[in-house]
Every structure is written in C-alpha cells, then in structure tokens.
Amino acid sequence: MADSLNLTQSYQIEMILPELMLEEMSGDGPDPILEAVPLVYEGDSELLRWDQCENGYGLLSARGLGGEPDVVVAPGSRTYMVAPGYYGERATLDEVQLTRMRELGTPNLPMAVNDRISLITQYQAQKSVDRIRQTTCDFLRTGRFVNVNAAGSTVHTDRIENYSTITIAGQVLPKTGLTLGPSWRTSPATATPLKDMRAIKLELERGTSSRFGKDAKVVCHPNVIVDLFNTNEVNETYKDRYGASLTTETQLEELLQGAGLPRLVPYDRGYFPTLADATARTNFTLFLADKAMIWLGVRPKGQRLGKFVLTRNMGVSPPEGVPDNPYRAKFRAETAWAEGIYMQLRYYSQMPFRYEFDLGFNGGPVVQFGSAAAGVDY
C-alpha cells in the first residue's frame, strides 16, 4: 500500500513546489512573458471561456433640424470557449536509487531522501513553469500553439483569431500599405530597422486602442540585438554624442525610445529537450526562435493582454463524496494559482519500494486582447 505524504512527516510538498515555481518565474528578474499573461486559477470552470466586445463602427448619423434620428444596431459581443490542456507526469525515486545512491560529497553515506526529493521537486517546478512559457511564447509569436505528447500526437492546440504576424522581408503591410525593408540579418547593409519598426508600430495601432510606442515592449531572441548592431543603419548612420558608433544596449535603447519606439527585451530562457541533452549540456532550446520577436502593446486602461488559466482539476477538487485532503495547504496571495495544481508524494512500503511524486494541472492561455500583441520576425 502507498502512504500519502501531504504536509506530513518531514517534507511539505504542497508548500514547497509553488514557492519553487514562483522563484523560477522571477528569480532572474521579472519575466515579461509571464507578466503579460499571468497565471491564475479558475476552478469553477472546466473550459477556458471569455467574452469580448465587438468594435464600435460608423459615425453618428446626421439628423438635420426637425429630422427623425436613425435607428442603429449597437455592437454586441462574442463568447469564446476552448478546451484546456491536461498536463502531468510522475517522477519516481526507485528502490535501486534508495538502496545504492550515496549522499553527494561523501564516499559511502546513504542518500538523504529528503534532499533527493527536494531536488526532484525543483526539477518538476522548473518543468511546469517552462511548459507555461513555451505554450505562451508559441501563442504570442505565431498566434497558435500545438503541444504534443511523448508519442508525437497533438493533445492541446489553440489559435488567436486574426492575430498579427509580420515578417520583415520587403512585405507590404495590409492596413497601412507601408513597405518594410529587407531582412535585418541577410541584408545588413541595406536593412532599415528603425524605419521598419516605425511602420510596424503604425500598422499595429491602426484600428485599435492598443499602443505600441515607448511604453510597449519587444521581447526578442538575443540574436536580434546582435543583428541590429550589425546593420549599417544602426552601426554607421546613428552616432552617440561624441560621434562614435553605438556599441551598448543602453545606447540602442535610448535610440529606440527617442524615436518613439519600444525598448527591446532579450529573452534567453529555454530548456534541454532530453535527459541526455541536460547531461551533456547540449541542444539548449530557447522558447523564442531565432530572429523572432513578440511585440507587447499597452492597453488604454492598463488591462492585461490575457492570462494563463488553470481550470478544474479532479486532483484538487475531487467529486462529491470524496473526502478533502486534510493536509491541503493554504496558499499566500502570490501563489494563489497553486490551488489548481495537483501534487502528491507517496511512499510504497511494498516491493519494489519507491517514492512517487505526481504533479499535474489543466489549463491554457487566454488572450483577451489579440490586437494588443504581435509576432514579428525577419
């Protein structure tokens, strides 16, 4: 039989994992992707659902003195619903490890089980946050994400209706008719990055109340900064106050801000796809593809672009008649979303002896203002 360990004995799994996730989200400073689409728990719903008002239209009708007013139809709203994704896995500390593993830094002392479980919890916390980052980055970069299981089958996908994706390669922008220059990397001598960004700013602002200027952010692959410095426009046309070429990211930010454009935020977060990659420290994969950018606009009332919603989960909200977990934690405000995450640590006191750590959540991203962001590449 399995002995369940939830806030019992010596390891408080439900308190520790959310704190480790929070540290992963913000340990290196604010994460612009998770700030734009923060994590929330909405346990009353099994579906991701949101309402969106339609745009206003037309001009107020001319009535004329003594004339009857025209009767018009007021804009309505749309309701969107999509199924969440179901994510989870089981990490084990098996009998072989429990029997043979030694405590790190010692020649033959038995492994400290709590230390090993703590490390496994940290790994799972990082994987959970990275899944949220990957899904959100794909969504905001391309307007779509497709998540597959270990067998390669699609198990969770969604798309943003009419989402803006722009490629800088001589493209004519559909709303403004402005033409973008050549790719910043393949044609650095003739590329016009500042002109391109001004044109994209006007394109994204046309017909929406979202703003894409100085207060916005462009979250980008780190190579975008390198490519910008390699263009003649940045390297030769613009100079600092002493007549020298721009060489620092601070100078580049001053140039962009002075032109009424957003600052660039390099995003170097990523993951090792396999255990072999992590062991060899190879094939580290960034969440943003090479040459990719996510342009995050600003709403007029400061509304969030969207949210990553954790939905109903039988692990934390079991069916009626099933007793509640007596050890369930009370989470502080910063980790209130952890109510939607199922966590359980079990020890099996029968052969083969082992610990099992289950972790799972249901949910997905909801982008409520699709016109407030765009994916850009070149």
Side-chain angles (χ1 to χ4, degrees), residues 19 51 62 92 154 161 169 171 176 208 234 243 272 293 295 314-315:
E19 296 298 329
D51 299 316
T92 62
T154 299
E161 185 178 15
Q171 177 184 358
T176 59
T208 176
V234 172
F272 291 107
M293 295 172 270
W295 199 316
M314 289 295 98

Side-chain angles (χ1 to χ4, degrees), residues 218-222 225 249 264-269:
V218 175
V219 183
C220 64
H221 189 286
I225 306 290
E249 292 186 22
L264 296 175
V265 182
Y267 197 71
D268 62 356
R269 292 175 172 86

Side-chain angles (χ1 to χ4, degrees), residues 84-238:
Y86 303 93
Y87 300 92
E89 61 188 31
R90 176 172 296 155
T92 62
L93 185 58
D94 62 26
E95 185 177 5
V96 174
Q97 294 173 295
L98 290 168
T99 304
R100 293 182 173 176
M101 285 191 69
R102 62 178 174 82
E103 181 65 12
L104 298 180
T106 70
N108 60 357
L109 290 180
M111 173 184 61
V113 174
N114 282 358
D115 290 345
R116 184 62 180 169
I117 292 174
S118 177
L119 190 58
I120 291 173
T121 307
Q122 185 172 343
Y123 289 151
Q124 297 303 92
Q126 179 178 338
K127 290 176 74 173
S128 300
V129 174
D130 283 348
R131 171 58 78 180
I132 294 167
R133 283 179 173 139
Q134 167 265 316
T135 303
T136 306
C137 281
D138 287 355
F139 212 26
L140 298 181
R141 180 174 62 87
T142 67
R144 185 186 182 199
F145 70 87
V146 179
N147 289 341
V148 300
N149 60 17
S153 300
T154 299
V155 294
H156 189 203
T157 184
D158 193 14
R159 60 182 293 272
I160 305 173
E161 185 178 15
N162 300 320
Y163 191 68
S164 294
T165 56
I166 297 171
T167 298
I168 301 170
Q171 177 184 358
V172 177
L173 298 173
K175 290 191 288 187
T176 59
L178 298 173
T179 302
L180 301 178
S183 167
W184 298 351
R185 178 175 298 172
T186 58
S187 303
T190 55
T192 54
L194 266 71
K195 177 183 175 183
D196 295 336
M197 293 183 72
R198 287 192 186 100
I200 293 170
K201 172 182 177 293
L202 294 176
E203 177 74 12
L204 297 179
E205 290 180 344
R206 181 69 59 88
T208 176
S209 55
S210 300
R211 301 293 94 183
F212 292 86
K214 294 175 63 174
D215 295 331
K217 296 177 184 176
V218 175
V219 183
C220 64
H221 189 286
N223 287 348
V224 172
I225 306 290
V226 177
D227 290 338
L228 272 173
F229 277 116
N230 286 336
T231 62
N232 284 9
E233 183 179 48
V234 172
N235 193 36
E236 297 181 5
T237 303
Y238 295 100

Side-chain angles (χ1 to χ4, degrees), residues 10-143:
S10 58
Y11 197 78
Q12 300 182 348
I13 194 79
E14 290 187 332
M15 293 295 291
I16 294 173
L17 184 129
E19 296 298 329
L20 290 173
M21 289 181 65
L22 186 64
E23 181 179 343
E24 173 62 26
M25 292 177 186
S26 57
D28 296 329
D31 186 315
I33 297 298
L34 299 181
E35 283 186 327
V37 184
L39 201 57
V40 300
Y41 173 52
E42 297 178 1
D44 293 335
S45 175
E46 192 276 327
L47 291 174
L48 301 173
R49 175 175 177 167
W50 67 101
D51 299 316
Q52 187 173 44
C53 293
E54 298 284 12
N55 291 326
Y57 67 97
L59 301 172
L60 188 66
S61 300
R63 181 176 67 90
L65 184 61
E68 290 289 333
D70 291 339
V71 177
V72 298
V73 177
S77 63
R78 299 187 195 186
T79 298
Y80 295 89
M81 289 189 295
V82 65
Y86 303 93
Y87 300 92
E89 61 188 31
R90 176 172 296 155
T92 62
L93 185 58
D94 62 26
E95 185 177 5
V96 174
Q97 294 173 295
L98 290 168
T99 304
R100 293 182 173 176
M101 285 191 69
R102 62 178 174 82
E103 181 65 12
L104 298 180
T106 70
N108 60 357
L109 290 180
M111 173 184 61
V113 174
N114 282 358
D115 290 345
R116 184 62 180 169
I117 292 174
S118 177
L119 190 58
I120 291 173
T121 307
Q122 185 172 343
Y123 289 151
Q124 297 303 92
Q126 179 178 338
K127 290 176 74 173
S128 300
V129 174
D130 283 348
R131 171 58 78 180
I132 294 167
R133 283 179 173 139
Q134 167 265 316
T135 303
T136 306
C137 281
D138 287 355
F139 212 26
L140 298 181
R141 180 174 62 87
T142 67

Side-chain angles (χ1 to χ4, degrees), residues 225 229 234-235 238 240 244-252:
I225 306 290
F229 277 116
V234 172
N235 193 36
Y238 295 100
D240 66 14
S245 297
L246 306 184
T247 57
T248 69
E249 292 186 22
T250 299
Q251 291 174 322
L252 181 60

